[in-house]
Amino acid sequence: QVQLVESGGGSVQSGGSLKISCTASSATIGYTYSRYSMGWFRQAPGKEREGVAAIGRDGSTVYADSVKGRFVISRDVAKATLYLQMDSLKPEDTAIYYCAARGEPLKTLEARLYKHWGQGTQVTVSS
């Protein structure tokens, strides 16, 4: 089992920036963080969870159209930490942001394909 803990959420005005993090750990013997592909997802009140960005084992990335050019996903393997830099934030970016991990090499924005999830961190963008 992999434990994921998000941090860095908060409130920001429209046009502002925020960087959220997700640190992974596991008590499972043989666990290797670098073997996992990771993703960021978000869920706004009354809406379904949607994929925001994902990074594959090889470091390649994919983004939802709604955040392309504004968000950047990255990872520090040595620190077992995933990041999401969010710039030019809009009120419609307001949501709970979750990080997720899966033991497959390919990146994907399909939430159903992820096995491990964090508890989420709130991001609020005011106009």
Side-chain angles (χ1 to χ4, degrees):
Q1 186 69 15
V2 176
Q3 289 78 45
L4 303 173
V5 179
E6 300 97 336
S7 60
S11 298
V12 63
Q13 289 192 326
S14 181
S17 297
L18 206 59
K19 187 174 185 177
I20 56 178
S21 304
C22 171
T23 300
S25 62
S26 177
T28 301
I29 296 174
Y31 163 75
T32 304
Y33 175 76
S34 61
R35 292 180 180 173
Y36 288 77
S37 55
M38 308 283 294
W40 284 104
F41 295 81
R42 67 186 181 186
Q43 188 166 18
K47 295 188 176 181
E48 293 188 354
R49 187 170 299 190
E50 64 171 342
V52 175
I55 186 165
R57 189 185 296 176
D58 62 355
S60 60
T61 58
V62 61
Y63 297 91
D65 288 343
S66 59
V67 306
K68 278 181 183 176
R70 301 189 298 121
F71 291 11
V72 176
I73 186 172
S74 62
R75 67 193 298 177
D76 185 330
V77 174
K79 295 181 179 180
T81 300
L82 181 73
Y83 303 99
L84 186 67
Q85 175 67 46
M86 303 181 288
D87 299 323
S88 302
L89 282 161
K90 305 175 181 180
E92 51 264 44
D93 294 318
T94 295
I96 298 175
Y97 283 71
Y98 301 88
C99 72
R102 69 190 206 115
E104 299 292 336
L106 300 180
K107 58 189 181 291
T108 179
L109 294 178
E110 290 285 341
R112 62 181 177 85
L113 298 179
Y114 286 83
K115 181 178 180 180
H116 310 285
W117 291 83
Q119 82 290 347
T121 186
Q122 177 70 47
V123 171
T124 303
V125 185
S126 58
S127 57

